[in-house]
Amino acid sequence: MARIHTITLNPAIDRILYLDKYRPEVTNRLKDSTDGLGGKGTHVSINLSQMGVPSEALGIAYGENGRKIIELLSQDLIDVNFQYFPEQESRVNYLIIEDDGKCTCLSSKGIQLSDSDIDSFIEFIAPGIGTGDYLVFSGDASNCPDPYVYNKIMRAFEARDLKVFMDASGDTLKKCIEEHPYLIKPNQDELSYLCGRELHTLEDIKEGIKSLEPYDIPVIAVSLGNEGSLVYADGTFYRVISPEVNVNNTIGCGDCFLAGLIEGIYRGRSIEDTLAHAAAVSSACAESVLSVGFDAGRAEELIKDVEIIKL
Ligand SMILES: Nc1ncnc2c1ncn2[C@@H]1O[C@H](COP(=O)(O)OP(=O)(O)OP(=O)(O)O)[C@@H](O)[C@H]1O
Ligand SMILES: [Mg+2]
């Protein structure tokens, strides 16, 4: 059986600050605050674990924050293999969540990784990656100045015939499609950037996906927030309409949607079933106040409300 490996080159502590309403230029009093795990790859591992799917979380962590990141990530179905350095500190991000569900993220840069840091990371992860395994890149590795950083990792494992799942944006996404990932999950803005023009309507998005044909990507799942998604899978387009939910926090819906897609493919579900599950878990994630995870019972309930139209 293939193993799933998630990669988080810039993990973080997400410090979540709860406010009734955020007001600039005055003292804001916090209602509550809590520390969670940041870095999209780690979120994919946690979402997969909630779906009963094991994964290996790979990454790089530093100092006390890094220790805390590893501790927050450690649970039964997650095999945590982080390169750990006691000196320096992994970053802290700040997430402001207001009573009406509005979220603002203040993202820190994180420790910059050099070419030789990436070479050493590749050497560190290589023994655990088998032929035909799944490799999940989530987030932009904003701490790596080189937009080809994911290409470098993909190329290092070219001979192992991996299934690569890519949730990146900007130039990182633009470059990495040259390596033929198995699946990409851009949102509307990310797809627009990738295609070099604003894509507004569903028809625009479909055209945008078609323009990526030369890159030979079997699955292109374009997530559209509360509008659901438009997914191209093995030659067919699917319009997925998400159920209407009481939104509390949409940060992390993309990671949850991606985890749902990976789960379906890993378990060999049909494409329709995979899309219905992914839409249900990610809309349950929008209902949750947390930025990672979802209520499994609620997701189960929501599946019947997902509409899938073959285009
Ligand atoms: N308000 C919502 N109501 C229902 N479902 C939602 C809502 N927002 C997001 N989703 C679900 O989550 C999926 C992914 O969301 P979205 O398109 O916002 O991802 P994203 O922009 O990558 O988010 P992020 O990167 O912040 O995690 C959507 O395709 C949809 O299924
Ligand atoms: Mg996203």
Side-chain angles (χ1 to χ4, degrees), residues 262-289:
I262 298 169
E263 185 244 17
I265 293 161
Y266 178 79
R267 292 198 197 277
R269 293 183 195 272
S270 69
I271 181 70
E272 275 96 344
D273 201 16
T274 298
L275 296 176
H277 269 89
V281 290
S282 55
S283 49
C285 176
E287 271 193 343
S288 156
V289 290

Side-chain angles (χ1 to χ4, degrees), residues 95-162:
L95 269 62
I96 299 168
I97 300 189
E98 298 172 59
D99 276 354
D100 61 4
K102 222 180 268 162
C103 318
T104 309
C105 179
L106 310 175
S107 176
S108 313
K109 241 185 170 154
I111 292 168
Q112 298 289 296
L113 302 178
S114 66
D115 267 3
S116 69
D117 293 330
I118 297 299
D119 289 339
S120 130
F121 177 68
I122 291 172
E123 213 169 289
F124 172 79
I125 66 173
I129 296 184
T131 304
D133 280 359
Y134 293 13
L135 205 54
V136 185
F137 294 91
S138 216
D140 286 339
S142 50
N143 55 338
C144 299
D146 177 7
Y148 279 103
V149 61
Y150 289 163
N151 297 55
K152 190 171 187 180
I153 299 174
M154 281 188 272
R155 268 186 223 140
F157 297 108
E158 212 167 10
R160 299 193 200 178
D161 200 18
L162 305 180

Side-chain angles (χ1 to χ4, degrees), residues 154 164-166 176-184 216-218:
M154 281 188 272
V164 173
F165 295 78
M166 182 65 63
C176 76
I177 60 172
E178 293 166 14
E179 310 295 327
H180 309 295
Y182 174 74
L183 178 150
I184 60 172
D216 202 13
I217 306 164

Side-chain angles (χ1 to χ4, degrees), residues 40 185 187 223-226 228 242-243 245 247 252-255 282-283:
K40 286 173 170 293
K185 192 227 72 67
N187 61 24
S223 68
L224 306 168
N226 63 347
S242 283
V245 292
V247 175
C253 283
D255 308 327
S282 55
S283 49

